[in-house]
Amino acid sequence: MEANASVDMFSKVLENQLLQTTKLVEEHLDSEIQKLDQMDEDELERLKEKRLEALRKSQQQKQEWLSKGHGEYREIPSERDFFQEVKESKKVVCHFYRDSTFRCKILDRHLVILSKKHLETKFLKLNVEKAPFLCERLRIKVIPTLALVKDGKTQDYVVGFTDLGNTDDFTTETLEWRLGCSDILSYSGNLMEPPFQSQKKFGTNFTKLEKKTIRGKKYDSDSDDD
């Protein structure tokens, strides 16, 4: 009986919240309709032109991003290419990976999706074995690492899966949220509430870091599959 009462109470609270939200939306729509009704033809024409201009600028910006390699998740062949790529774009995510690290492949799947969704950001990947100088300069010590570059400067890093709920099964939205926290892409959700907080279990697949060596350089691998 207590369980049923709790369910009924929750249902009523949810119903009230939905009604309040619906009421606010209706009031906003009524306000916008009223504004349109009060406009004369010249004002409506100016509003139309303003919106068309905004649409044109948005389309131009999209084409510019696409011409610079946005909209896809690409591998760059060398560290020299890295410097050229980050000069061209305001926001860049670069995945420093290694073929033998299985968690890099997990990141790949999510980055492919995000690259198509967020045209405002360039998504790249670079093999650490081909970039010893850059890895040392950026202090890349754990594989995988995402370097978040804004205006040509590295602003932040996503190191391993620690910020993603300490699990291999994190969602694409969780990675999107983490990148949004660094303002490297436009995240539409609530930055104050990580998506993985709603999951019942996380962190069960997290393993201890192991020392790895690449061309004489020691790296920590956030993986137990090497």
Side-chain angles (χ1 to χ4, degrees):
M1 293 295 291
E2 291 182 0
N4 291 333
S6 297
V7 171
D8 290 341
M9 183 178 295
F10 177 77
S11 297
K12 289 180 180 179
V13 170
L14 183 60
E15 184 179 352
N16 288 333
Q17 289 178 339
L18 288 173
L19 287 172
Q20 290 177 4
T21 301
T22 302
K23 184 179 179 181
L24 289 173
V25 171
E26 289 178 347
E27 289 176 352
H28 177 71
L29 287 174
D30 289 341
S31 176
E32 291 298 314
I33 292 172
Q34 186 177 3
K35 287 180 182 178
L36 289 174
D37 288 340
Q38 293 174 351
M39 285 184 176
D40 58 29
E41 290 186 7
D42 290 340
E43 288 177 322
L44 286 172
E45 188 63 29
R46 284 195 294 271
L47 178 61
K48 180 181 177 181
E49 285 297 324
K50 186 177 180 180
R51 289 181 175 175
L52 285 174
E53 180 62 23
L55 185 61
R56 282 193 291 267
K57 287 184 178 180
S58 176
Q59 190 62 26
Q60 289 174 357
Q61 179 66 82
K62 179 180 178 180
Q63 291 303 318
E64 181 182 344
W65 283 331
L66 292 174
S67 70
K68 292 180 178 179
H70 293 227
E72 60 179 336
Y73 178 46
R74 298 182 290 115
E75 179 161 8
I76 51 178
S78 69
E79 50 195 7
R80 180 178 298 178
D81 296 276
F82 172 86
F83 293 107
Q84 183 60 38
E85 293 280 0
V86 299
K87 284 181 181 178
E88 291 179 353
S89 301
K90 181 179 178 64
K91 297 180 178 181
V92 180
V93 173
C94 186
H95 175 198
F96 286 85
Y97 81 98
R98 182 176 49 201
D99 285 326
S100 59
T101 303
F102 85 97
R103 285 197 171 116
C104 292
K105 296 177 176 61
I106 294 174
L107 268 182
D108 284 340
R109 295 198 297 268
H110 295 293
L111 292 171
V112 166
I113 296 171
L114 292 178
S115 67
K116 299 179 185 301
K117 181 178 180 180
H118 292 278
L119 295 183
E120 73 275 13
T121 304
K122 179 183 288 183
F123 289 83
L124 306 171
K125 62 186 298 189
L126 178 59
N127 192 325
V128 293
E129 295 181 354
K130 298 180 180 180
F133 166 75
L134 186 59
C135 287
E136 184 173 354
R137 177 173 174 176
L138 298 181
R139 300 178 182 178
I140 305 293
K141 296 181 179 180
V142 174
I143 305 301
T145 286
L146 299 181
L148 313 183
V149 186
K150 194 172 181 180
D151 295 321
K153 297 180 180 180
T154 306
Q155 302 287 344
D156 198 3
Y157 298 91
V158 179
V159 181
F161 292 174
T162 304
D163 294 346
L164 306 174
N166 275 351
T167 175
D168 296 343
D169 299 323
F170 64 88
T171 63
T172 302
E173 185 186 0
T174 296
L175 178 57
E176 184 181 24
W177 162 81
R178 175 60 183 85
L179 298 177
C181 287
S182 296
D183 193 31
I184 208 69
L185 54 72
S186 300
Y187 181 64
S188 59
N190 185 356
L191 291 174
M192 301 302 292
E193 296 182 4
F196 59 77
Q197 281 191 351
S198 62
Q199 298 175 2
K200 292 183 179 179
K201 294 181 180 180
F202 62 90
T204 54
N205 295 330
F206 184 69
T207 57
K208 294 182 179 179
L209 301 182
E210 299 175 355
K211 292 292 183 182
K212 302 296 173 184
T213 302
I214 300 177
R215 290 187 179 180
K217 302 294 183 183
K218 281 191 174 181
Y219 289 85
D220 289 336
S221 178
D222 189 16
S223 168
D224 58 1
D225 194 43
D226 295 338

PDB file of all heavy atoms in Angstrom, residues 24-52:
ATOM      1  N   LEU A  24       3.627  27.481 -19.450  1.00  0.00           N
ATOM      2  CA  LEU A  24       4.684  28.449 -19.774  1.00  0.00           C
ATOM      3  C   LEU A  24       4.934  28.510 -21.273  1.00  0.00           C
ATOM      4  O   LEU A  24       5.121  29.589 -21.842  1.00  0.00           O
ATOM      5  CB  LEU A  24       5.978  28.072 -19.045  1.00  0.00           C
ATOM      6  CG  LEU A  24       5.989  28.289 -17.521  1.00  0.00           C
ATOM      7  CD1 LEU A  24       7.274  27.714 -16.925  1.00  0.00           C
ATOM      8  CD2 LEU A  24       5.880  29.781 -17.199  1.00  0.00           C
ATOM      9  N   VAL A  25       4.939  27.348 -21.929  1.00  0.00           N
ATOM     10  CA  VAL A  25       5.145  27.301 -23.383  1.00  0.00           C
ATOM     11  C   VAL A  25       4.007  28.003 -24.105  1.00  0.00           C
ATOM     12  O   VAL A  25       4.222  28.779 -25.046  1.00  0.00           O
ATOM     13  CB  VAL A  25       5.266  25.833 -23.864  1.00  0.00           C
ATOM     14  CG1 VAL A  25       5.264  25.776 -25.394  1.00  0.00           C
ATOM     15  CG2 VAL A  25       6.543  25.201 -23.326  1.00  0.00           C
ATOM     16  N   GLU A  26       2.784  27.754 -23.661  1.00  0.00           N
ATOM     17  CA  GLU A  26       1.617  28.389 -24.288  1.00  0.00           C
ATOM     18  C   GLU A  26       1.651  29.904 -24.110  1.00  0.00           C
ATOM     19  O   GLU A  26       1.333  30.659 -25.044  1.00  0.00           O
ATOM     20  CB  GLU A  26       0.331  27.816 -23.680  1.00  0.00           C
ATOM     21  CG  GLU A  26       0.056  26.377 -24.085  1.00  0.00           C
ATOM     22  CD  GLU A  26      -1.201  25.829 -23.428  1.00  0.00           C
ATOM     23  OE1 GLU A  26      -1.701  26.482 -22.489  1.00  0.00           O
ATOM     24  OE2 GLU A  26      -1.670  24.759 -23.846  1.00  0.00           O
ATOM     25  N   GLU A  27       2.049  30.342 -22.919  1.00  0.00           N
ATOM     26  CA  GLU A  27       2.135  31.787 -22.667  1.00  0.00           C
ATOM     27  C   GLU A  27       3.193  32.434 -23.559  1.00  0.00           C
ATOM     28  O   GLU A  27       2.990  33.540 -24.076  1.00  0.00           O
ATOM     29  CB  GLU A  27       2.463  32.037 -21.192  1.00  0.00           C
ATOM     30  CG  GLU A  27       1.308  31.724 -20.249  1.00  0.00           C
ATOM     31  CD  GLU A  27       1.695  31.895 -18.782  1.00  0.00           C
ATOM     32  OE1 GLU A  27       2.902  32.116 -18.524  1.00  0.00           O
ATOM     33  OE2 GLU A  27       0.807  31.803 -17.906  1.00  0.00           O
ATOM     34  N   HIS A  28       4.314  31.752 -23.754  1.00  0.00           N
ATOM     35  CA  HIS A  28       5.371  32.279 -24.614  1.00  0.00           C
ATOM     36  C   HIS A  28       4.892  32.373 -26.055  1.00  0.00           C
ATOM     37  O   HIS A  28       5.131  33.385 -26.745  1.00  0.00           O
ATOM     38  CB  HIS A  28       6.611  31.372 -24.535  1.00  0.00           C
ATOM     39  CG  HIS A  28       7.724  31.805 -25.435  1.00  0.00           C
ATOM     40  ND1 HIS A  28       8.484  32.937 -25.198  1.00  0.00           N
ATOM     41  CD2 HIS A  28       8.207  31.261 -26.591  1.00  0.00           C
ATOM     42  CE1 HIS A  28       9.382  33.076 -26.151  1.00  0.00           C
ATOM     43  NE2 HIS A  28       9.236  32.075 -27.013  1.00  0.00           N
ATOM     44  N   LEU A  29       4.194  31.331 -26.531  1.00  0.00           N
ATOM     45  CA  LEU A  29       3.670  31.338 -27.894  1.00  0.00           C
ATOM     46  C   LEU A  29       2.639  32.455 -28.078  1.00  0.00           C
ATOM     47  O   LEU A  29       2.631  33.144 -29.108  1.00  0.00           O
ATOM     48  CB  LEU A  29       3.044  29.975 -28.219  1.00  0.00           C
ATOM     49  CG  LEU A  29       4.019  28.813 -28.444  1.00  0.00           C
ATOM     50  CD1 LEU A  29       3.253  27.507 -28.608  1.00  0.00           C
ATOM     51  CD2 LEU A  29       4.885  29.067 -29.681  1.00  0.00           C
ATOM     52  N   ASP A  30       1.765  32.624 -27.092  1.00  0.00           N
ATOM     53  CA  ASP A  30       0.757  33.690 -27.160  1.00  0.00           C
ATOM     54  C   ASP A  30       1.429  35.058 -27.252  1.00  0.00           C
ATOM     55  O   ASP A  30       0.976  35.938 -27.995  1.00  0.00           O
ATOM     56  CB  ASP A  30      -0.148  33.645 -25.921  1.00  0.00           C
ATOM     57  CG  ASP A  30      -1.085  32.446 -25.934  1.00  0.00           C
ATOM     58  OD1 ASP A  30      -1.293  31.883 -27.024  1.00  0.00           O
ATOM     59  OD2 ASP A  30      -1.594  32.080 -24.856  1.00  0.00           O
ATOM     60  N   SER A  31       2.517  35.226 -26.495  1.00  0.00           N
ATOM     61  CA  SER A  31       3.248  36.491 -26.506  1.00  0.00           C
ATOM     62  C   SER A  31       3.866  36.758 -27.875  1.00  0.00           C
ATOM     63  O   SER A  31       3.810  37.878 -28.393  1.00  0.00           O
ATOM     64  CB  SER A  31       4.338  36.468 -25.423  1.00  0.00           C
ATOM     65  OG  SER A  31       5.116  37.649 -25.473  1.00  0.00           O
ATOM     66  N   GLU A  32       4.466  35.702 -28.477  1.00  0.00           N
ATOM     67  CA  GLU A  32       5.088  35.855 -29.793  1.00  0.00           C
ATOM     68  C   GLU A  32       4.044  36.153 -30.866  1.00  0.00           C
ATOM     69  O   GLU A  32       4.261  36.986 -31.757  1.00  0.00           O
ATOM     70  CB  GLU A  32       5.857  34.569 -30.160  1.00  0.00           C
ATOM     71  CG  GLU A  32       7.091  34.316 -29.319  1.00  0.00           C
ATOM     72  CD  GLU A  32       8.122  35.425 -29.467  1.00  0.00           C
ATOM     73  OE1 GLU A  32       8.392  35.833 -30.603  1.00  0.00           O
ATOM     74  OE2 GLU A  32       8.652  35.877 -28.436  1.00  0.00           O
ATOM     75  N   ILE A  33       2.902  35.470 -30.784  1.00  0.00           N
ATOM     76  CA  ILE A  33       1.822  35.709 -31.750  1.00  0.00           C
ATOM     77  C   ILE A  33       1.304  37.139 -31.635  1.00  0.00           C
ATOM     78  O   ILE A  33       1.033  37.812 -32.638  1.00  0.00           O
ATOM     79  CB  ILE A  33       0.673  34.689 -31.533  1.00  0.00           C
ATOM     80  CG1 ILE A  33       1.141  33.291 -31.912  1.00  0.00           C
ATOM     81  CG2 ILE A  33      -0.558  35.091 -32.352  1.00  0.00           C
ATOM     82  CD1 ILE A  33       0.145  32.192 -31.563  1.00  0.00           C
ATOM     83  N   GLN A  34       1.185  37.618 -30.408  1.00  0.00           N
ATOM     84  CA  GLN A  34       0.718  38.988 -30.172  1.00  0.00           C
ATOM     85  C   GLN A  34       1.690  40.005 -30.779  1.00  0.00           C
ATOM     86  O   GLN A  34       1.276  41.000 -31.380  1.00  0.00           O
ATOM     87  CB  GLN A  34       0.553  39.236 -28.678  1.00  0.00           C
ATOM     88  CG  GLN A  34      -0.069  40.589 -28.347  1.00  0.00           C
ATOM     89  CD  GLN A  34      -0.283  40.772 -26.850  1.00  0.00           C
ATOM     90  OE1 GLN A  34       0.085  39.929 -26.061  1.00  0.00           O
ATOM     91  NE2 GLN A  34      -0.896  41.886 -26.477  1.00  0.00           N
ATOM     92  N   LYS A  35       2.979  39.745 -30.614  1.00  0.00           N
ATOM     93  CA  LYS A  35       3.989  40.645 -31.185  1.00  0.00           C
ATOM     94  C   LYS A  35       3.872  40.698 -32.711  1.00  0.00           C
ATOM     95  O   LYS A  35       3.945  41.764 -33.316  1.00  0.00           O
ATOM     96  CB  LYS A  35       5.391  40.176 -30.798  1.00  0.00           C
ATOM     97  CG  LYS A  35       5.750  40.416 -29.346  1.00  0.00           C
ATOM     98  CD  LYS A  35       7.158  39.912 -29.069  1.00  0.00           C
ATOM     99  CE  LYS A  35       7.518  40.110 -27.592  1.00  0.00           C
ATOM    100  NZ  LYS A  35       8.890  39.575 -27.315  1.00  0.00           N
ATOM    101  N   LEU A  36       3.668  39.530 -33.318  1.00  0.00           N
ATOM    102  CA  LEU A  36       3.531  39.461 -34.780  1.00  0.00           C
ATOM    103  C   LEU A  36       2.271  40.200 -35.241  1.00  0.00           C
ATOM    104  O   LEU A  36       2.277  40.887 -36.272  1.00  0.00           O
ATOM    105  CB  LEU A  36       3.483  38.007 -35.247  1.00  0.00           C
ATOM    106  CG  LEU A  36       4.800  37.218 -35.148  1.00  0.00           C
ATOM    107  CD1 LEU A  36       4.569  35.751 -35.495  1.00  0.00           C
ATOM    108  CD2 LEU A  36       5.852  37.818 -36.086  1.00  0.00           C
ATOM    109  N   ASP A  37       1.181  40.047 -34.483  1.00  0.00           N
ATOM    110  CA  ASP A  37      -0.078  40.710 -34.839  1.00  0.00           C
ATOM    111  C   ASP A  37       0.059  42.235 -34.804  1.00  0.00           C
ATOM    112  O   ASP A  37      -0.618  42.956 -35.555  1.00  0.00           O
ATOM    113  CB  ASP A  37      -1.195  40.275 -33.882  1.00  0.00           C
ATOM    114  CG  ASP A  37      -1.634  38.835 -34.130  1.00  0.00           C
ATOM    115  OD1 ASP A  37      -1.362  38.325 -35.238  1.00  0.00           O
ATOM    116  OD2 ASP A  37      -2.226  38.228 -33.215  1.00  0.00           O
ATOM    117  N   GLN A  38       0.933  42.727 -33.934  1.00  0.00           N
ATOM    118  CA  GLN A  38       1.091  44.165 -33.763  1.00  0.00           C
ATOM    119  C   GLN A  38       2.067  44.785 -34.768  1.00  0.00           C
ATOM    120  O   GLN A  38       2.189  46.002 -34.843  1.00  0.00           O
ATOM    121  CB  GLN A  38       1.556  44.462 -32.336  1.00  0.00           C
ATOM    122  CG  GLN A  38       0.503  44.134 -31.275  1.00  0.00           C
ATOM    123  CD  GLN A  38       1.021  44.291 -29.865  1.00  0.00           C
ATOM    124  OE1 GLN A  38       2.212  44.487 -29.659  1.00  0.00           O
ATOM    125  NE2 GLN A  38       0.121  44.225 -28.878  1.00  0.00           N
ATOM    126  N   MET A  39       2.765  43.938 -35.530  1.00  0.00           N
ATOM    127  CA  MET A  39       3.745  44.450 -36.501  1.00  0.00           C
ATOM    128  C   MET A  39       3.057  44.880 -37.785  1.00  0.00           C
ATOM    129  O   MET A  39       2.104  44.258 -38.248  1.00  0.00           O
ATOM    130  CB  MET A  39       4.766  43.356 -36.835  1.00  0.00           C
ATOM    131  CG  MET A  39       5.787  43.091 -35.746  1.00  0.00           C
ATOM    132  SD  MET A  39       7.017  41.879 -36.281  1.00  0.00           S
ATOM    133  CE  MET A  39       8.106  41.884 -34.844  1.00  0.00           C
ATOM    134  N   ASP A  40       3.580  45.966 -38.395  1.00  0.00           N
ATOM    135  CA  ASP A  40       3.077  46.349 -39.717  1.00  0.00           C
ATOM    136  C   ASP A  40       3.896  45.617 -40.777  1.00  0.00           C
ATOM    137  O   ASP A  40       4.816  44.872 -40.482  1.00  0.00           O
ATOM    138  CB  ASP A  40       3.152  47.867 -39.902  1.00  0.00           C
ATOM    139  CG  ASP A  40       4.571  48.397 -39.730  1.00  0.00           C
ATOM    140  OD1 ASP A  40       5.533  47.656 -40.011  1.00  0.00           O
ATOM    141  OD2 ASP A  40       4.723  49.567 -39.325  1.00  0.00           O
ATOM    142  N   GLU A  41       3.573  45.837 -42.053  1.00  0.00           N
ATOM    143  CA  GLU A  41       4.222  45.098 -43.140  1.00  0.00           C
ATOM    144  C   GLU A  41       5.720  45.368 -43.217  1.00  0.00           C
ATOM    145  O   GLU A  41       6.515  44.465 -43.494  1.00  0.00           O
ATOM    146  CB  GLU A  41       3.549  45.457 -44.473  1.00  0.00           C
ATOM    147  CG  GLU A  41       2.135  44.900 -44.599  1.00  0.00           C
ATOM    148  CD  GLU A  41       1.560  45.141 -45.972  1.00  0.00           C
ATOM    149  OE1 GLU A  41       2.317  45.631 -46.856  1.00  0.00           O
ATOM    150  OE2 GLU A  41       0.382  44.837 -46.193  1.00  0.00           O
ATOM    151  N   ASP A  42       6.111  46.627 -42.991  1.00  0.00           N
ATOM    152  CA  ASP A  42       7.534  46.968 -43.045  1.00  0.00           C
ATOM    153  C   ASP A  42       8.320  46.236 -41.959  1.00  0.00           C
ATOM    154  O   ASP A  42       9.432  45.743 -42.196  1.00  0.00           O
ATOM    155  CB  ASP A  42       7.732  48.481 -42.893  1.00  0.00           C
ATOM    156  CG  ASP A  42       7.248  49.237 -44.116  1.00  0.00           C
ATOM    157  OD1 ASP A  42       7.135  48.613 -45.192  1.00  0.00           O
ATOM    158  OD2 ASP A  42       6.983  50.443 -43.993  1.00  0.00           O
ATOM    159  N   GLU A  43       7.750  46.182 -40.768  1.00  0.00           N
ATOM    160  CA  GLU A  43       8.432  45.486 -39.665  1.00  0.00           C
ATOM    161  C   GLU A  43       8.546  43.997 -39.937  1.00  0.00           C
ATOM    162  O   GLU A  43       9.580  43.372 -39.656  1.00  0.00           O
ATOM    163  CB  GLU A  43       7.665  45.731 -38.359  1.00  0.00           C
ATOM    164  CG  GLU A  43       7.805  47.147 -37.819  1.00  0.00           C
ATOM    165  CD  GLU A  43       6.966  47.370 -36.577  1.00  0.00           C
ATOM    166  OE1 GLU A  43       5.836  46.839 -36.507  1.00  0.00           O
ATOM    167  OE2 GLU A  43       7.441  48.075 -35.669  1.00  0.00           O
ATOM    168  N   LEU A  44       7.483  43.416 -40.504  1.00  0.00           N
ATOM    169  CA  LEU A  44       7.516  41.998 -40.841  1.00  0.00           C
ATOM    170  C   LEU A  44       8.560  41.713 -41.917  1.00  0.00           C
ATOM    171  O   LEU A  44       9.258  40.696 -41.873  1.00  0.00           O
ATOM    172  CB  LEU A  44       6.131  41.536 -41.325  1.00  0.00           C
ATOM    173  CG  LEU A  44       5.054  41.387 -40.249  1.00  0.00           C
ATOM    174  CD1 LEU A  44       3.693  41.129 -40.882  1.00  0.00           C
ATOM    175  CD2 LEU A  44       5.413  40.244 -39.290  1.00  0.00           C
ATOM    176  N   GLU A  45       8.679  42.624 -42.873  1.00  0.00           N
ATOM    177  CA  GLU A  45       9.662  42.464 -43.945  1.00  0.00           C
ATOM    178  C   GLU A  45      11.089  42.539 -43.389  1.00  0.00           C
ATOM    179  O   GLU A  45      11.970  41.765 -43.781  1.00  0.00           O
ATOM    180  CB  GLU A  45       9.456  43.535 -45.015  1.00  0.00           C
ATOM    181  CG  GLU A  45      10.291  43.340 -46.270  1.00  0.00           C
ATOM    182  CD  GLU A  45       9.954  42.057 -47.006  1.00  0.00           C
ATOM    183  OE1 GLU A  45       8.796  41.603 -46.911  1.00  0.00           O
ATOM    184  OE2 GLU A  45      10.855  41.510 -47.669  1.00  0.00           O
ATOM    185  N   ARG A  46      11.293  43.489 -42.463  1.00  0.00           N
ATOM    186  CA  ARG A  46      12.618  43.609 -41.851  1.00  0.00           C
ATOM    187  C   ARG A  46      12.964  42.361 -41.034  1.00  0.00           C
ATOM    188  O   ARG A  46      14.102  41.904 -41.040  1.00  0.00           O
ATOM    189  CB  ARG A  46      12.673  44.856 -40.955  1.00  0.00           C
ATOM    190  CG  ARG A  46      12.787  46.164 -41.727  1.00  0.00           C
ATOM    191  CD  ARG A  46      13.201  47.309 -40.813  1.00  0.00           C
ATOM    192  NE  ARG A  46      12.187  47.612 -39.818  1.00  0.00           N
ATOM    193  CZ  ARG A  46      11.188  48.482 -40.026  1.00  0.00           C
ATOM    194  NH1 ARG A  46      11.083  49.119 -41.187  1.00  0.00           N
ATOM    195  NH2 ARG A  46      10.307  48.732 -39.069  1.00  0.00           N
ATOM    196  N   LEU A  47      11.963  41.827 -40.331  1.00  0.00           N
ATOM    197  CA  LEU A  47      12.175  40.616 -39.551  1.00  0.00           C
ATOM    198  C   LEU A  47      12.520  39.441 -40.469  1.00  0.00           C
ATOM    199  O   LEU A  47      13.424  38.650 -40.169  1.00  0.00           O
ATOM    200  CB  LEU A  47      10.915  40.292 -38.745  1.00  0.00           C
ATOM    201  CG  LEU A  47      10.955  39.016 -37.897  1.00  0.00           C
ATOM    202  CD1 LEU A  47      12.065  39.110 -36.852  1.00  0.00           C
ATOM    203  CD2 LEU A  47       9.614  38.776 -37.215  1.00  0.00           C
ATOM    204  N   LYS A  48      11.819  39.381 -41.592  1.00  0.00           N
ATOM    205  CA  LYS A  48      12.084  38.319 -42.563  1.00  0.00           C
ATOM    206  C   LYS A  48      13.501  38.421 -43.119  1.00  0.00           C
ATOM    207  O   LYS A  48      14.218  37.422 -43.213  1.00  0.00           O
ATOM    208  CB  LYS A  48      11.062  38.403 -43.698  1.00  0.00           C
ATOM    209  CG  LYS A  48      11.241  37.349 -44.768  1.00  0.00           C
ATOM    210  CD  LYS A  48      10.211  37.516 -45.868  1.00  0.00           C
ATOM    211  CE  LYS A  48      10.432  36.505 -46.984  1.00  0.00           C
ATOM    212  NZ  LYS A  48       9.447  36.681 -48.082  1.00  0.00           N
ATOM    213  N   GLU A  49      13.920  39.630 -43.473  1.00  0.00           N
ATOM    214  CA  GLU A  49      15.272  39.842 -44.005  1.00  0.00           C
ATOM    215  C   GLU A  49      16.336  39.499 -42.967  1.00  0.00           C
ATOM    216  O   GLU A  49      17.384  38.929 -43.287  1.00  0.00           O
ATOM    217  CB  GLU A  49      15.440  41.293 -44.460  1.00  0.00           C
ATOM    218  CG  GLU A  49      14.755  41.611 -45.765  1.00  0.00           C
ATOM    219  CD  GLU A  49      15.333  40.806 -46.923  1.00  0.00           C
ATOM    220  OE1 GLU A  49      16.563  40.577 -46.920  1.00  0.00           O
ATOM    221  OE2 GLU A  49      14.558  40.393 -47.792  1.00  0.00           O
ATOM    222  N   LYS A  50      16.051  39.863 -41.710  1.00  0.00           N
ATOM    223  CA  LYS A  50      16.998  39.583 -40.633  1.00  0.00           C
ATOM    224  C   LYS A  50      17.204  38.079 -40.466  1.00  0.00           C
ATOM    225  O   LYS A  50      18.338  37.599 -40.289  1.00  0.00           O
ATOM    226  CB  LYS A  50      16.483  40.193 -39.329  1.00  0.00           C
ATOM    227  CG  LYS A  50      17.448  40.098 -38.164  1.00  0.00           C
ATOM    228  CD  LYS A  50      16.891  40.796 -36.937  1.00  0.00           C
ATOM    229  CE  LYS A  50      17.860  40.706 -35.756  1.00  0.00           C
ATOM    230  NZ  LYS A  50      17.323  41.395 -34.546  1.00  0.00           N
ATOM    231  N   ARG A  51      16.104  37.358 -40.540  1.00  0.00           N
ATOM    232  CA  ARG A  51      16.198  35.903 -40.382  1.00  0.00           C
ATOM    233  C   ARG A  51      16.871  35.257 -41.589  1.00  0.00           C
ATOM    234  O   ARG A  51      17.636  34.298 -41.447  1.00  0.00           O
ATOM    235  CB  ARG A  51      14.801  35.320 -40.165  1.00  0.00           C
ATOM    236  CG  ARG A  51      14.220  35.672 -38.800  1.00  0.00           C
ATOM    237  CD  ARG A  51      12.856  35.077 -38.566  1.00  0.00           C
ATOM    238  NE  ARG A  51      12.381  35.340 -37.209  1.00  0.00           N
ATOM    239  CZ  ARG A  51      11.181  35.015 -36.761  1.00  0.00           C
ATOM    240  NH1 ARG A  51      10.320  34.403 -37.570  1.00  0.00           N
ATOM    241  NH2 ARG A  51      10.835  35.279 -35.507  1.00  0.00           N
ATOM    242  N   LEU A  52      16.611  35.759 -42.776  1.00  0.00           N
ATOM    243  CA  LEU A  52      17.263  35.234 -43.980  1.00  0.00           C
ATOM    244  C   LEU A  52      18.761  35.490 -43.950  1.00  0.00           C
ATOM    245  O   LEU A  52      19.557  34.644 -44.354  1.00  0.00           O
ATOM    246  CB  LEU A  52      16.644  35.868 -45.231  1.00  0.00           C
ATOM    247  CG  LEU A  52      15.258  35.367 -45.628  1.00  0.00           C
ATOM    248  CD1 LEU A  52      14.707  36.193 -46.797  1.00  0.00           C
ATOM    249  CD2 LEU A  52      15.310  33.888 -46.002  1.00  0.00           C
TER     250      LEU A  52
END
